[in-house]
Amino acid sequence: MMRWIAVDGATDVAREASQRISAAASSAISQHGYFSLVLAGGSTPLTAYKLLAQSDLDCSAWRLYFGDERCLPADDPNRNSVMVAQTGLSEKAGEVFVMRAEWGAERAAENYRQIVDEAVPFDMVLLGMGEDGHTASLFPGHDENSASVFSVYDSPKPPAERVSLSTAALQNCREMLALIVGDAKSRSLRAWKAGADLPISRVCACRQCQVLYDRDLLEGKA
Ligand code: 6PG
């Protein structure tokens, strides 16, 4: 079953995450010559991406994918692909498979489905969690499509239109790392730990998942 790993604060989550990603990369590259990594969107993982970008790691065999994307213009600062590029990690990687979300959710999902179906199993999948327990663009009370990548038109977190990997596609990996930081996540993290059925708890209900979280969110006043 999944493992819970408590660390002290957001900086330690980022540092621990970057070390685990780096270890997964060297193992994958020695085993099959490349490292396929699905990036989490949002702000939580950006510090870890910066640490990796600023390190002396050779990322030329890294293949970066996205767990979800917001349907915004390709250069919009709120695009996950743009936020990742600004950390410097995209430039360091060998290949970056950006979701063409600027084409609209349907076309972008269709296009990315082929990319994902050829890429799985991923070596590592990174996840964030929203205040409501969502992950990627899988939201509470929203049905999933059976396809590995599907369109979302009613996201409660703007923008409403997105593209997301499914639970099954996200779980099709050797290692999974969820990063949970931010006082606003405390309620959902406590609910998850208590057994609530949330999109994040469904995706992480697999033996390869490790949850890296800020200790204060469960044990502190957060
Ligand atoms: C997105 C993300 C989303 C994110 C969570 C947490 O595109 O919005 O994929 O699932 O991981 O909402 O976001 P923060 O890390 O910014 O809190």
Side-chain angles (χ1 to χ4, degrees), residues 41-45 68 70 80 128-130 134-136 157 162 185:
S43 57
T44 299
D68 73 332
R70 302 141 184 214
N80 288 326
M129 183 186 78
H134 79 257
T135 192
K157 176 179 180 182
R162 292 157 166 260
K185 318 291 178 77

Side-chain angles (χ1 to χ4, degrees), residues 186-194 216-222:
S186 177
R187 187 178 54 78
S188 283
L189 187 61
R190 291 173 197 269
W192 176 8
K193 204 100 173 19
D216 279 353
L217 297 184
L218 282 187
E219 299 155 20
K221 306 279 177 294

Side-chain angles (χ1 to χ4, degrees), residues 104-137:
E106 202 52 52
R107 269 189 70 201
E110 198 179 314
N111 171 266
Y112 213 70
R113 202 168 294 143
Q114 293 167 32
I115 293 169
V116 166
D117 293 348
E118 279 165 26
V120 289
F122 296 112
D123 290 309
M124 181 174 252
V125 166
L126 299 177
L127 299 169
M129 183 186 78
E131 297 172 27
D132 59 357
H134 79 257
T135 192
S137 287

Side-chain angles (χ1 to χ4, degrees), residues 72-154:
L72 296 166
D75 59 354
D76 190 294
N78 289 310
R79 279 275 297 247
N80 288 326
S81 55
V82 171
M83 291 191 284
V84 170
Q86 284 167 347
T87 69
L89 184 60
S90 305
E91 196 182 326
K92 205 175 163 88
E95 290 179 277
V96 183
F97 297 87
V98 173
M99 284 184 177
R100 293 288 168 222
E102 65 277 12
W103 293 350
E106 202 52 52
R107 269 189 70 201
E110 198 179 314
N111 171 266
Y112 213 70
R113 202 168 294 143
Q114 293 167 32
I115 293 169
V116 166
D117 293 348
E118 279 165 26
V120 289
F122 296 112
D123 290 309
M124 181 174 252
V125 166
L126 299 177
L127 299 169
M129 183 186 78
E131 297 172 27
D132 59 357
H134 79 257
T135 192
S137 287
L138 307 173
F139 293 93
H142 289 61
D143 293 337
E144 272 195 51
N145 187 308
S146 57
S148 56
V149 185
F150 62 96
S151 49
V152 175
Y153 294 100
D154 53 358

